[in-house]
Amino acid sequence: MKSDNDPIAVEARSDHSNNAQSLQTLVSGPLSSSLSPLSSSSSRTIPSNQDFHFFNNFDNCRLPFNQISNTSDSLLRFIGSSSENWGPNNSINFPNNIESIADDEAYRWLTDLNDGILEQFDVSVDEFQNIREKEEETGRVVGSDPDNNGFQLVQGKKKKKGDGVLMNDLICESPGWMEGGSSSSSSGMKVTTGKAKVPFHIPTIRKPQEEYSIRVNNSKQPFVHVWLQKSEDGLRFVHPMEKHSVIGFVDKYIADIKPVKPPSIESTPFKLVEELKDLKELAAKLRSVDELAIDLEHNQYRSFQGLTCLMQISTRTEDFIVDTLKLWIHIGPYLREIFKDPSKKKVMHGADRDILWLQRDFGIYLCNLFDTGQASRVLKLERNSLEHLLQHYCGVTANKDYQNADWRLRPLPNEMLRYAREDTHYLLYIYDLMRIILLSMPKEPGHFDSPLVEVYKRSSDVCMQLYEKEQLMPNSYLHVYGLQGSGFNAEQLAIVAALCEWRDCIARVEDESTGYILPNKVLLEIAKQMPVTASKLRRLLNSKHPYVEQDICHVVDTIKCSLQNAVAFEAAAQQLRMGRVLNVSEERVAVNAGGSGSVAT
Ligand code: AMP
Ligand code: MN
Ligand code: ZN
């Protein structure tokens, strides 16, 4: 035992007695009345008032009391400061000097916190019910919207009346539960599988840009294709495909094509390429094959220009998934030559965006592409989705629930790896079958090219597109989704334009999508209401949208300034009222990922 004169012991005792005091007030008041119905009749209640003092003299009681006090204290602090609950800048901090504050202050803090949680729950239930009703009315899935709190609802089945919204419908479980999925997912995010609900945004994932030191250039300068040569006049970049003739890629004889059915996914060797040595091995293998199927998974919500998260590659015998986030700087050096090599056939489905992502992120340019999406069009199939081709040619029902998942997630659950593999696993076989049918088709009347040549020409056009960084043009604001038909006046339009500019700047600096900084829906609501004080604006934000909160004074000033400049927007407001589509060159410049981060497919 420590001596009574030991200063450390004295300090500890005074700490303990302070703690004891505050615990005592708590247990004699609201806590004990809340706890008593929870304890079974045989267990002791927590002593209160004088009893508490008495019991607190004994180590057997004092130590667990202290332990409970400390645990609850840190738990409450954790909940209060949780950015997941309140947003990064809105922590509801537990009062620091709990010993010295009145107990009703702590109690009020706790009830406020509870109210906050219940309110958020209410809002979520409302939103969920609205979405469900909309789905039931239209039979369509309402998804890909950041305002849905990151959940893409992918089940369209009509719910029986009276089912109500079950708690289960809103709760997510760890990706670890997914078929054989790793339980040690870094995010701790939970998703229900039976309900087939896949979050397109998992806010707890650490940004890969930071985690893997991925450097991006979000300046307003145009993208420079450093891996391409310039034309003689120096005015444009020259794509390597310009050196090749499409005709050289086209099969001449049906008899030369022997469709090779792939083995089942289960019996196909698979490699998740995460280490440099594995990437080297993959590159060596690809140098020895002359056909490969490729697909990418991408995230456009948590970066300004988008990030390629995965690259799937299938050869005739093997499937590979490359963790492009982890191996970012190595992808180009090891795969660039292979993708450019005109003697290697690259088969992709609907490659338009993939082609641009490869250029932007890895300086990779393709030669000799067969795009099964283009082939599907030339074949005039009833639908052009990969899902349809898989069903039509392979009898495989693809699970497309993960198409719009948050592909930044690591480690990837088995379920997601399997989904990603399915996107390339069957592609070379589909390519075989399509070529045979295309070769057997007669030329379309009035067409110069045979159907197969037509597919290669279209595929070559897809390849030769060049990535351009999206720029905010003076008229871009007119294309914010939802603005047409809003009937906004000049003042409101001025605010829309100014907010578009503001979010564009922030998004570039923070490397976020404009839709993440300020979703279109909220942007339009702000313009509609024209708040000119921080508190009015805050009410509108509803504790979401931390970047607006962070810069709230500036945003309010921007709104006020816009109101003064509104005259300049009279003409645009007039056009908008008349529902005229603006015929300006800027029309094609989309407001980057504005609000939804979704891509129509
Ligand atoms: P896929 O080629 O179908 O695997 O799609 C490639 C990437 O495009 C996905 O990783 C998504 O980032 C994006 N994507 C595909 N479909 C959608 C969609 N319906 N909504 C939003 N993003 C999509
Ligand atoms: Mn794809
Ligand atoms: Zn894919």
Side-chain angles (χ1 to χ4, degrees):
M1 283 270 290
K2 286 188 178 205
S3 115
D4 276 353
N5 300 327
D6 180 342
I8 299 175
V10 170
E11 199 180 303
R13 245 196 330 273
S14 103
D15 262 8
H16 281 175
S17 78
N18 277 344
N19 278 340
Q21 191 105 42
S22 56
L23 195 58
Q24 188 212 355
T25 7
L26 199 63
V27 294
S28 61
L31 187 64
S32 60
S33 59
S34 324
L35 283 182
S36 59
L38 291 176
S39 61
S40 77
S41 54
S42 60
S43 71
R44 273 180 174 283
T45 52
I46 297 176
S48 58
N49 298 330
Q50 298 307 316
D51 285 353
F52 183 87
H53 263 310
F54 175 72
F55 282 105
N56 201 46
N57 288 325
F58 305 100
D59 275 359
N60 276 355
C61 273
R62 192 173 54 235
L63 297 177
F65 283 163
N66 285 336
Q67 211 174 352
I68 292 168
S69 160
N70 289 340
T71 313
S72 346
D73 185 78
S74 69
L75 198 65
L76 292 172
R77 269 178 220 292
F78 176 74
I79 294 171
S81 64
S82 159
S83 60
E84 249 182 87
N85 284 335
W86 320 110
N89 303 305
N90 300 303
S91 42
I92 304 181
N93 284 325
F94 190 57
N96 253 335
N97 46 348
I98 181 73
E99 285 84 15
S100 60
I101 59 160
D103 62 310
D104 63 340
E105 199 175 322
Y107 187 66
R108 209 174 322 118
W109 176 88
L110 191 60
T111 50
D112 280 354
L113 179 114
N114 266 336
D115 284 349
I117 291 175
L118 290 173
E119 201 173 299
Q120 286 196 13
F121 182 74
D122 259 359
V123 170
S124 303
V125 171
D126 279 354
E127 276 177 12
F128 182 82
Q129 272 169 335
N130 278 342
I131 292 166
R132 193 37 84 70
E133 274 163 25
K134 239 181 256 165
E135 263 185 50
E136 290 187 358
E137 275 165 25
T138 59
R140 271 192 312 119
V141 172
V142 184
S144 324
D145 183 353
D147 292 342
N148 288 343
N149 274 337
F151 284 99
Q152 186 186 18
L153 302 168
V154 283
Q155 54 173 23
K157 280 206 197 103
K158 206 169 159 76
K159 249 189 143 185
K160 269 188 257 145
K161 274 260 180 293
D163 267 3
V165 176
L166 300 173
M167 186 65 184
N168 240 358
D169 288 354
L170 295 166
I171 292 180
C172 320
E173 292 158 9
S174 158
W177 54 259
M178 289 195 218
E179 187 224 334
S182 154
S183 52
S184 60
S185 169
S186 59
S187 74
M189 181 64 189
K190 302 179 169 190
V191 194
T192 32
T193 117
K195 309 268 184 249
K197 219 184 276 183
V198 179
F200 90 98
H201 179 224
I202 302 174
T204 47
I205 294 177
R206 182 164 175 229
K207 286 183 79 173
Q209 296 95 311
E210 288 155 21
E211 174 107 35
Y212 302 109
S213 308
I214 295 171
R215 311 252 271 155
V216 293
N217 177 355
N218 293 336
S219 74
K220 293 185 178 170
Q221 301 305 312
F223 183 83
V224 182
H225 291 269
V226 290
W227 291 96
L228 294 188
Q229 293 178 338
K230 284 261 180 110
S231 58
E232 271 176 29
D233 57 11
L235 293 178
R236 58 179 198 92
F237 294 104
V238 178
H239 192 285
M241 253 308 280
E242 290 188 34
K243 286 207 292 266
H244 305 288
S245 157
V246 164
I247 302 300
F249 303 143
V250 184
D251 309 81
K252 306 281 180 303
Y253 309 105
I254 290 190
D256 291 345
I257 308 168
K258 301 270 180 289
V260 184
K261 217 173 178 158
S264 69
I265 295 222
E266 286 72 24
S267 49
T268 301
F270 168 67
K271 179 79 193 162
L272 178 60
V273 178
E274 294 178 297
E275 304 297 333
L276 187 55
K277 69 170 181 24
D278 300 327
L279 181 64
K280 286 182 189 174
E281 245 170 65
L282 168 63
K285 279 185 179 160
L286 296 181
R287 269 181 228 115
S288 70
V289 302
D290 49 18
E291 298 157 314
L292 53 148
I294 305 147
D295 186 41
L296 304 178
E297 300 308 327
H298 185 260
N299 180 279
Q300 46 255 313
Y301 187 50
R302 295 306 308 274
S303 80
F304 183 69
Q305 299 177 70
L307 288 179
T308 302
C309 299
L310 281 190
M311 182 189 291
Q312 304 99 289
I313 296 179
S314 291
T315 65
R316 290 282 181 185
T317 53
E318 283 178 86
D319 294 332
F320 302 88
I321 293 186
V322 185
D323 186 339
T324 48
L325 294 176
K326 193 166 178 201
L327 293 170
W328 194 264
I329 55 167
H330 303 293
I331 304 292
Y334 283 94
L335 300 181
R336 190 172 293 122
E337 284 308 310
I338 290 159
F339 279 63
K340 197 173 102 176
D341 183 347
S343 72
K344 290 187 197 302
K345 184 76 66 194
K346 270 70 72 174
V347 180
M348 301 176 76
H349 181 85
D352 300 69
R353 289 173 303 149
D354 307 54
I355 291 292
L356 302 176
W357 299 337
L358 287 169
Q359 296 175 2
R360 179 196 65 203
D361 292 344
F362 313 117
I364 286 179
Y365 299 81
L366 257 76
C367 293
N368 196 356
L369 170 72
F370 183 99
D371 187 323
T372 50
Q374 294 303 334
S376 170
R377 285 182 182 86
V378 173
L379 286 166
K380 299 199 174 70
L381 298 184
E382 53 188 298
R383 269 170 290 142
N384 300 316
S385 63
L386 178 61
E387 198 177 2
H388 180 64
L389 298 190
L390 286 170
Q391 192 70 63
H392 185 74
Y393 290 113
C394 311
V396 169
T397 306
N399 168 11
K400 277 293 181 185
D401 295 352
Y402 294 95
Q403 187 170 44
N404 197 21
D406 193 333
W407 287 100
R408 303 170 306 148
L409 183 64
R410 297 292 182 276
L412 277 160
N414 284 351
E415 191 85 355
M416 285 172 78
L417 287 173
R418 180 177 172 113
Y419 166 89
R421 281 178 75 184
E422 279 180 353
D423 270 358
T424 54
H425 182 78
Y426 304 93
L427 222 44
L428 290 175
Y429 178 57
I430 293 175
Y431 153 73
D432 290 339
L433 298 177
M434 285 181 139
R435 276 183 301 157
I436 292 174
I437 303 165
L438 286 161
L439 268 178
S440 68
M441 270 166 64
K443 250 188 221 171
E444 289 253 324
H447 276 226
F448 178 76
D449 293 316
S450 72
L452 187 56
V453 172
E454 172 74 19
V455 171
Y456 274 107
K457 284 198 169 167
R458 289 181 182 213
S459 302
S460 155
D461 289 345
V462 169
C463 272
M464 285 168 69
Q465 302 173 91
L466 289 180
Y467 176 71
E468 283 175 44
K469 210 188 285 182
E470 269 176 3
Q471 305 291 358
L472 190 72
M473 306 305 265
N475 274 336
S476 297
Y477 75 94
L478 287 167
H479 304 281
V480 168
Y481 183 76
L483 184 65
Q484 303 288 332
S486 64
F488 276 6
N489 61 26
E491 288 184 327
Q492 290 164 323
L493 279 189
I495 295 174
V496 174
L499 290 178
C500 278
E501 204 174 323
W502 171 81
R503 75 173 179 180
D504 181 79
C505 290
I506 305 286
R508 284 173 197 272
V509 172
E510 302 290 342
D511 197 23
E512 296 284 3
S513 69
T514 49
Y516 181 74
I517 300 293
L518 178 57
N520 287 338
K521 220 166 98 184
V522 185
L523 188 152
L524 294 179
E525 194 53 37
I526 296 174
K528 189 173 164 192
Q529 299 196 21
M530 305 191 278
V532 286
T533 62
S535 59
K536 280 186 184 148
L537 177 56
R538 261 198 204 102
R539 222 166 296 146
L540 240 159
L541 297 172
N542 201 12
S543 299
K544 296 175 187 170
H545 320 299
Y547 284 105
V548 189
E549 292 272 0
Q550 232 169 62
D551 205 15
I552 199 132
C553 295
H554 183 199
V555 176
V556 169
D557 284 346
T558 306
I559 295 171
K560 286 193 210 154
C561 215
S562 309
L563 292 174
Q564 319 225 297
N565 296 334
V567 181
F569 290 82
E570 287 294 354
Q574 179 78 18
Q575 280 187 326
L576 197 68
R577 266 197 296 278
M578 296 190 310
R580 286 231 318 257
V581 180
L582 287 129
N583 189 18
V584 285
S585 58
E586 289 90 339
E587 198 187 337
R588 288 167 53 82
V589 182
V591 178
N592 188 34
S596 77
S598 75
V599 182
T601 45

mmCIF file of all heavy atoms in Angstrom, residues 144 152 295-300 312 349-350 353-354 357 386 400 402-405 407 419 423 597-601, ligand 1:
data_model
loop_
_atom_site.group_PDB
_atom_site.id
_atom_site.type_symbol
_atom_site.label_atom_id
_atom_site.label_comp_id
_atom_site.label_asym_id
_atom_site.label_seq_id
_atom_site.Cartn_x
_atom_site.Cartn_y
_atom_site.Cartn_z
ATOM 1 N N SER A 144 -27.223 5.295 -57.304
ATOM 2 C CA SER A 144 -26.059 6.084 -57.714
ATOM 3 C C SER A 144 -26.123 7.526 -57.264
ATOM 4 O O SER A 144 -25.501 8.374 -57.854
ATOM 5 C CB SER A 144 -25.934 6.104 -59.245
ATOM 6 O OG SER A 144 -26.310 4.924 -59.797
ATOM 7 N N GLN A 152 -26.703 2.178 -53.031
ATOM 8 C CA GLN A 152 -27.401 1.994 -54.279
ATOM 9 C C GLN A 152 -28.402 0.888 -54.044
ATOM 10 O O GLN A 152 -28.051 -0.201 -53.611
ATOM 11 C CB GLN A 152 -26.436 1.582 -55.382
ATOM 12 C CG GLN A 152 -27.150 1.533 -56.703
ATOM 13 C CD GLN A 152 -26.278 0.987 -57.790
ATOM 14 O OE1 GLN A 152 -25.274 0.348 -57.520
ATOM 15 N NE2 GLN A 152 -26.652 1.226 -59.019
ATOM 16 N N ASP A 295 -10.766 -5.173 -68.569
ATOM 17 C CA ASP A 295 -11.827 -4.300 -68.048
ATOM 18 C C ASP A 295 -11.260 -3.510 -66.874
ATOM 19 O O ASP A 295 -10.257 -3.914 -66.275
ATOM 20 C CB ASP A 295 -13.038 -5.137 -67.603
ATOM 21 C CG ASP A 295 -14.212 -4.257 -67.189
ATOM 22 O OD1 ASP A 295 -14.471 -3.248 -67.874
ATOM 23 O OD2 ASP A 295 -14.876 -4.579 -66.171
ATOM 24 N N LEU A 296 -11.869 -2.405 -66.568
ATOM 25 C CA LEU A 296 -11.419 -1.601 -65.426
ATOM 26 C C LEU A 296 -12.588 -1.348 -64.487
ATOM 27 O O LEU A 296 -13.729 -1.273 -64.909
ATOM 28 C CB LEU A 296 -10.887 -0.236 -65.892
ATOM 29 C CG LEU A 296 -9.774 -0.185 -66.917
ATOM 30 C CD1 LEU A 296 -9.456 1.268 -67.265
ATOM 31 C CD2 LEU A 296 -8.523 -0.896 -66.427
ATOM 32 N N GLU A 297 -12.280 -1.189 -63.219
ATOM 33 C CA GLU A 297 -13.258 -0.641 -62.276
ATOM 34 C C GLU A 297 -12.714 0.708 -61.811
ATOM 35 O O GLU A 297 -11.504 0.901 -61.689
ATOM 36 C CB GLU A 297 -13.498 -1.578 -61.093
ATOM 37 C CG GLU A 297 -14.034 -2.956 -61.487
ATOM 38 C CD GLU A 297 -15.263 -2.945 -62.378
ATOM 39 O OE1 GLU A 297 -16.087 -2.020 -62.241
ATOM 40 O OE2 GLU A 297 -15.383 -3.842 -63.235
ATOM 41 N N HIS A 298 -13.629 1.602 -61.540
ATOM 42 C CA HIS A 298 -13.263 3.010 -61.440
ATOM 43 C C HIS A 298 -14.043 3.663 -60.314
ATOM 44 O O HIS A 298 -15.126 3.203 -59.965
ATOM 45 C CB HIS A 298 -13.627 3.651 -62.788
ATOM 46 C CG HIS A 298 -13.239 5.069 -62.971
ATOM 47 N ND1 HIS A 298 -14.133 6.099 -62.821
ATOM 48 C CD2 HIS A 298 -12.062 5.628 -63.330
ATOM 49 C CE1 HIS A 298 -13.505 7.249 -63.083
ATOM 50 N NE2 HIS A 298 -12.252 6.993 -63.396
ATOM 51 N N ASN A 299 -13.500 4.720 -59.739
ATOM 52 C CA ASN A 299 -14.267 5.517 -58.782
ATOM 53 C C ASN A 299 -14.253 6.975 -59.211
ATOM 54 O O ASN A 299 -13.191 7.538 -59.457
ATOM 55 C CB ASN A 299 -13.676 5.387 -57.372
ATOM 56 C CG ASN A 299 -14.462 6.210 -56.379
ATOM 57 O OD1 ASN A 299 -14.271 7.418 -56.266
ATOM 58 N ND2 ASN A 299 -15.390 5.587 -55.695
ATOM 59 N N GLN A 300 -15.436 7.551 -59.323
ATOM 60 C CA GLN A 300 -15.506 8.933 -59.774
ATOM 61 C C GLN A 300 -16.057 9.865 -58.712
ATOM 62 O O GLN A 300 -16.252 11.039 -58.971
ATOM 63 C CB GLN A 300 -16.334 9.057 -61.050
ATOM 64 C CG GLN A 300 -17.652 8.306 -61.048
ATOM 65 C CD GLN A 300 -17.608 7.045 -61.901
ATOM 66 O OE1 GLN A 300 -17.147 7.096 -63.016
ATOM 67 N NE2 GLN A 300 -18.073 5.923 -61.362
ATOM 68 N N GLN A 312 -8.896 -5.709 -64.616
ATOM 69 C CA GLN A 312 -9.076 -7.143 -64.775
ATOM 70 C C GLN A 312 -8.529 -7.547 -66.153
ATOM 71 O O GLN A 312 -8.790 -6.854 -67.139
ATOM 72 C CB GLN A 312 -10.552 -7.518 -64.704
ATOM 73 C CG GLN A 312 -11.265 -7.064 -63.441
ATOM 74 C CD GLN A 312 -12.050 -5.780 -63.632
ATOM 75 O OE1 GLN A 312 -11.488 -4.698 -63.770
ATOM 76 N NE2 GLN A 312 -13.369 -5.882 -63.637
ATOM 77 N N HIS A 349 -15.368 -4.642 -73.374
ATOM 78 C CA HIS A 349 -16.792 -4.385 -73.609
ATOM 79 C C HIS A 349 -17.124 -2.933 -73.272
ATOM 80 O O HIS A 349 -16.946 -2.501 -72.133
ATOM 81 C CB HIS A 349 -17.674 -5.310 -72.772
ATOM 82 C CG HIS A 349 -19.132 -5.066 -73.025
ATOM 83 N ND1 HIS A 349 -19.810 -5.660 -74.062
ATOM 84 C CD2 HIS A 349 -20.020 -4.228 -72.426
ATOM 85 C CE1 HIS A 349 -21.056 -5.224 -74.094
ATOM 86 N NE2 HIS A 349 -21.211 -4.357 -73.103
ATOM 87 N N GLY A 350 -17.615 -2.207 -74.272
ATOM 88 C CA GLY A 350 -17.988 -0.797 -74.037
ATOM 89 C C GLY A 350 -16.811 -0.023 -73.477
ATOM 90 O O GLY A 350 -16.860 0.475 -72.351
ATOM 91 N N ARG A 353 -15.006 4.627 -71.977
ATOM 92 C CA ARG A 353 -14.462 5.326 -70.808
ATOM 93 C C ARG A 353 -13.148 4.697 -70.346
ATOM 94 O O ARG A 353 -12.229 5.389 -69.924
ATOM 95 C CB ARG A 353 -15.498 5.342 -69.685
ATOM 96 C CG ARG A 353 -16.658 6.275 -70.001
ATOM 97 C CD ARG A 353 -17.749 6.162 -68.960
ATOM 98 N NE ARG A 353 -18.220 4.788 -68.847
ATOM 99 C CZ ARG A 353 -18.672 4.244 -67.735
ATOM 100 N NH1 ARG A 353 -18.721 4.928 -66.621
ATOM 101 N NH2 ARG A 353 -19.094 2.990 -67.720
ATOM 102 N N ASP A 354 -13.064 3.366 -70.458
ATOM 103 C CA ASP A 354 -11.826 2.674 -70.044
ATOM 104 C C ASP A 354 -10.603 3.203 -70.801
ATOM 105 O O ASP A 354 -9.527 3.372 -70.232
ATOM 106 C CB ASP A 354 -11.941 1.172 -70.291
ATOM 107 C CG ASP A 354 -13.178 0.568 -69.657
ATOM 108 O OD1 ASP A 354 -14.300 1.071 -69.933
ATOM 109 O OD2 ASP A 354 -13.044 -0.377 -68.888
ATOM 110 N N TRP A 357 -9.578 6.412 -69.252
ATOM 111 C CA TRP A 357 -9.011 6.210 -67.908
ATOM 112 C C TRP A 357 -7.580 5.681 -68.002
ATOM 113 O O TRP A 357 -6.710 6.092 -67.230
ATOM 114 C CB TRP A 357 -9.874 5.227 -67.105
ATOM 115 C CG TRP A 357 -11.290 5.682 -66.881
ATOM 116 C CD1 TRP A 357 -11.753 6.974 -66.910
ATOM 117 C CD2 TRP A 357 -12.437 4.859 -66.611
ATOM 118 N NE1 TRP A 357 -13.109 6.993 -66.657
ATOM 119 C CE2 TRP A 357 -13.558 5.715 -66.465
ATOM 120 C CE3 TRP A 357 -12.643 3.485 -66.453
ATOM 121 C CZ2 TRP A 357 -14.836 5.249 -66.183
ATOM 122 C CZ3 TRP A 357 -13.913 3.015 -66.168
ATOM 123 C CH2 TRP A 357 -15.004 3.887 -66.043
ATOM 124 N N LEU A 386 -23.145 -5.934 -71.303
ATOM 125 C CA LEU A 386 -22.367 -7.165 -71.096
ATOM 126 C C LEU A 386 -23.255 -8.237 -70.463
ATOM 127 O O LEU A 386 -23.165 -9.422 -70.794
ATOM 128 C CB LEU A 386 -21.158 -6.865 -70.194
ATOM 129 C CG LEU A 386 -20.286 -8.075 -69.858
ATOM 130 C CD1 LEU A 386 -19.682 -8.694 -71.110
ATOM 131 C CD2 LEU A 386 -19.182 -7.697 -68.876
ATOM 132 N N LYS A 400 -24.918 -8.067 -61.454
ATOM 133 C CA LYS A 400 -24.397 -6.726 -61.726
ATOM 134 C C LYS A 400 -24.506 -5.787 -60.512
ATOM 135 O O LYS A 400 -24.320 -4.582 -60.634
ATOM 136 C CB LYS A 400 -25.129 -6.121 -62.940
ATOM 137 C CG LYS A 400 -24.542 -6.589 -64.269
ATOM 138 C CD LYS A 400 -23.148 -6.025 -64.427
ATOM 139 C CE LYS A 400 -22.462 -6.393 -65.719
ATOM 140 N NZ LYS A 400 -21.070 -5.892 -65.731
ATOM 141 N N TYR A 402 -22.620 -5.181 -58.228
ATOM 142 C CA TYR A 402 -21.397 -4.508 -57.796
ATOM 143 C C TYR A 402 -20.881 -3.489 -58.801
ATOM 144 O O TYR A 402 -19.860 -2.865 -58.585
ATOM 145 C CB TYR A 402 -20.309 -5.538 -57.500
ATOM 146 C CG TYR A 402 -20.671 -6.381 -56.311
ATOM 147 C CD1 TYR A 402 -21.294 -7.612 -56.478
ATOM 148 C CD2 TYR A 402 -20.432 -5.927 -55.027
ATOM 149 C CE1 TYR A 402 -21.667 -8.380 -55.386
ATOM 150 C CE2 TYR A 402 -20.805 -6.667 -53.931
ATOM 151 C CZ TYR A 402 -21.418 -7.897 -54.112
ATOM 152 O OH TYR A 402 -21.782 -8.630 -53.030
ATOM 153 N N GLN A 403 -21.586 -3.353 -59.922
ATOM 154 C CA GLN A 403 -21.102 -2.482 -60.996
ATOM 155 C C GLN A 403 -20.733 -1.103 -60.452
ATOM 156 O O GLN A 403 -19.709 -0.542 -60.798
ATOM 157 C CB GLN A 403 -22.180 -2.345 -62.061
ATOM 158 C CG GLN A 403 -21.694 -1.590 -63.292
ATOM 159 C CD GLN A 403 -22.690 -1.681 -64.433
ATOM 160 O OE1 GLN A 403 -23.883 -1.538 -64.246
ATOM 161 N NE2 GLN A 403 -22.178 -1.939 -65.625
ATOM 162 N N ASN A 404 -21.576 -0.615 -59.597
ATOM 163 C CA ASN A 404 -21.381 0.738 -59.101
ATOM 164 C C ASN A 404 -20.913 0.747 -57.644
ATOM 165 O O ASN A 404 -21.148 1.683 -56.906
ATOM 166 C CB ASN A 404 -22.702 1.498 -59.246
ATOM 167 C CG ASN A 404 -22.499 2.984 -59.162
ATOM 168 O OD1 ASN A 404 -21.401 3.475 -59.384
ATOM 169 N ND2 ASN A 404 -23.553 3.696 -58.805
ATOM 170 N N ALA A 405 -20.230 -0.335 -57.257
ATOM 171 C CA ALA A 405 -19.750 -0.415 -55.870
ATOM 172 C C ALA A 405 -18.595 0.555 -55.650
ATOM 173 O O ALA A 405 -18.079 1.136 -56.598
ATOM 174 C CB ALA A 405 -19.292 -1.839 -55.583
ATOM 175 N N TRP A 407 -15.193 0.765 -55.444
ATOM 176 C CA TRP A 407 -14.084 -0.140 -55.801
ATOM 177 C C TRP A 407 -12.775 0.246 -55.140
ATOM 178 O O TRP A 407 -11.744 -0.376 -55.362
ATOM 179 C CB TRP A 407 -13.943 -0.205 -57.327
ATOM 180 C CG TRP A 407 -15.065 -0.990 -57.924
ATOM 181 C CD1 TRP A 407 -16.180 -0.500 -58.522
ATOM 182 C CD2 TRP A 407 -15.198 -2.419 -57.931
ATOM 183 N NE1 TRP A 407 -17.003 -1.528 -58.907
ATOM 184 C CE2 TRP A 407 -16.426 -2.713 -58.564
ATOM 185 C CE3 TRP A 407 -14.412 -3.479 -57.471
ATOM 186 C CZ2 TRP A 407 -16.879 -4.026 -58.738
ATOM 187 C CZ3 TRP A 407 -14.855 -4.785 -57.646
ATOM 188 C CH2 TRP A 407 -16.071 -5.038 -58.273
ATOM 189 N N TYR A 419 -17.112 -10.835 -58.961
ATOM 190 C CA TYR A 419 -17.826 -9.968 -59.893
ATOM 191 C C TYR A 419 -16.856 -9.409 -60.925
ATOM 192 O O TYR A 419 -17.108 -9.435 -62.129
ATOM 193 C CB TYR A 419 -18.511 -8.806 -59.139
ATOM 194 C CG TYR A 419 -18.962 -7.736 -60.101
ATOM 195 C CD1 TYR A 419 -20.221 -7.803 -60.683
ATOM 196 C CD2 TYR A 419 -18.110 -6.702 -60.492
ATOM 197 C CE1 TYR A 419 -20.621 -6.857 -61.613
ATOM 198 C CE2 TYR A 419 -18.487 -5.759 -61.416
ATOM 199 C CZ TYR A 419 -19.744 -5.839 -61.974
ATOM 200 O OH TYR A 419 -20.119 -4.906 -62.900
ATOM 201 N N ASP A 423 -16.346 -9.985 -65.405
ATOM 202 C CA ASP A 423 -16.373 -8.960 -66.453
ATOM 203 C C ASP A 423 -15.399 -9.261 -67.594
ATOM 204 O O ASP A 423 -15.569 -8.734 -68.703
ATOM 205 C CB ASP A 423 -16.069 -7.569 -65.859
ATOM 206 C CG ASP A 423 -17.336 -6.865 -65.404
ATOM 207 O OD1 ASP A 423 -18.433 -7.433 -65.584
ATOM 208 O OD2 ASP A 423 -17.236 -5.742 -64.875
ATOM 209 N N GLY A 597 -22.254 11.641 -59.658
ATOM 210 C CA GLY A 597 -21.123 10.745 -59.817
ATOM 211 C C GLY A 597 -21.529 9.532 -60.619
ATOM 212 O O GLY A 597 -20.806 8.545 -60.717
ATOM 213 N N SER A 598 -22.692 9.552 -61.204
ATOM 214 C CA SER A 598 -23.136 8.358 -61.914
ATOM 215 C C SER A 598 -22.980 8.548 -63.412
ATOM 216 O O SER A 598 -22.917 9.653 -63.919
ATOM 217 C CB SER A 598 -24.592 8.091 -61.584
ATOM 218 O OG SER A 598 -25.391 9.001 -62.272
ATOM 219 N N VAL A 599 -22.911 7.459 -64.073
ATOM 220 C CA VAL A 599 -22.700 7.486 -65.507
ATOM 221 C C VAL A 599 -23.800 6.644 -66.134
ATOM 222 O O VAL A 599 -24.072 5.541 -65.679
ATOM 223 C CB VAL A 599 -21.340 6.832 -65.838
ATOM 224 C CG1 VAL A 599 -21.081 6.886 -67.319
ATOM 225 C CG2 VAL A 599 -20.224 7.498 -65.066
ATOM 226 N N ALA A 600 -24.441 7.209 -67.104
ATOM 227 C CA ALA A 600 -25.494 6.428 -67.755
ATOM 228 C C ALA A 600 -24.852 5.311 -68.569
ATOM 229 O O ALA A 600 -23.887 5.539 -69.273
ATOM 230 C CB ALA A 600 -26.299 7.328 -68.654
ATOM 231 N N THR A 601 -25.331 4.126 -68.419
ATOM 232 C CA THR A 601 -24.772 3.019 -69.205
ATOM 233 C C THR A 601 -25.862 2.331 -69.996
ATOM 234 O O THR A 601 -27.018 2.436 -69.662
ATOM 235 C CB THR A 601 -24.073 1.968 -68.322
ATOM 236 O OG1 THR A 601 -24.904 1.711 -67.221
ATOM 237 C CG2 THR A 601 -22.723 2.456 -67.871
HETATM 238 P P1 AMP B 1 -18.052 -1.812 -65.879
HETATM 239 O O1 AMP B 1 -17.278 -1.719 -67.142
HETATM 240 O O2 AMP B 1 -19.489 -2.098 -66.087
HETATM 241 O O3 AMP B 1 -17.421 -2.754 -64.918
HETATM 242 O O4 AMP B 1 -17.991 -0.385 -65.211
HETATM 243 C C1 AMP B 1 -16.758 0.239 -64.980
HETATM 244 C C2 AMP B 1 -16.930 1.358 -63.994
HETATM 245 O O5 AMP B 1 -17.873 2.284 -64.509
HETATM 246 C C3 AMP B 1 -17.466 0.952 -62.635
HETATM 247 O O6 AMP B 1 -16.440 0.585 -61.747
HETATM 248 C C4 AMP B 1 -18.159 2.223 -62.180
HETATM 249 O O7 AMP B 1 -17.221 3.122 -61.632
HETATM 250 C C5 AMP B 1 -18.644 2.843 -63.468
HETATM 251 N N1 AMP B 1 -20.053 2.483 -63.667
HETATM 252 C C6 AMP B 1 -20.539 1.471 -64.390
HETATM 253 N N2 AMP B 1 -21.872 1.449 -64.363
HETATM 254 C C7 AMP B 1 -22.257 2.482 -63.603
HETATM 255 C C8 AMP B 1 -23.514 3.010 -63.171
HETATM 256 N N3 AMP B 1 -24.669 2.459 -63.525
HETATM 257 N N4 AMP B 1 -23.506 4.103 -62.386
HETATM 258 C C9 AMP B 1 -22.340 4.677 -62.018
HETATM 259 N N5 AMP B 1 -21.148 4.214 -62.370
HETATM 260 C C10 AMP B 1 -21.089 3.148 -63.153
#
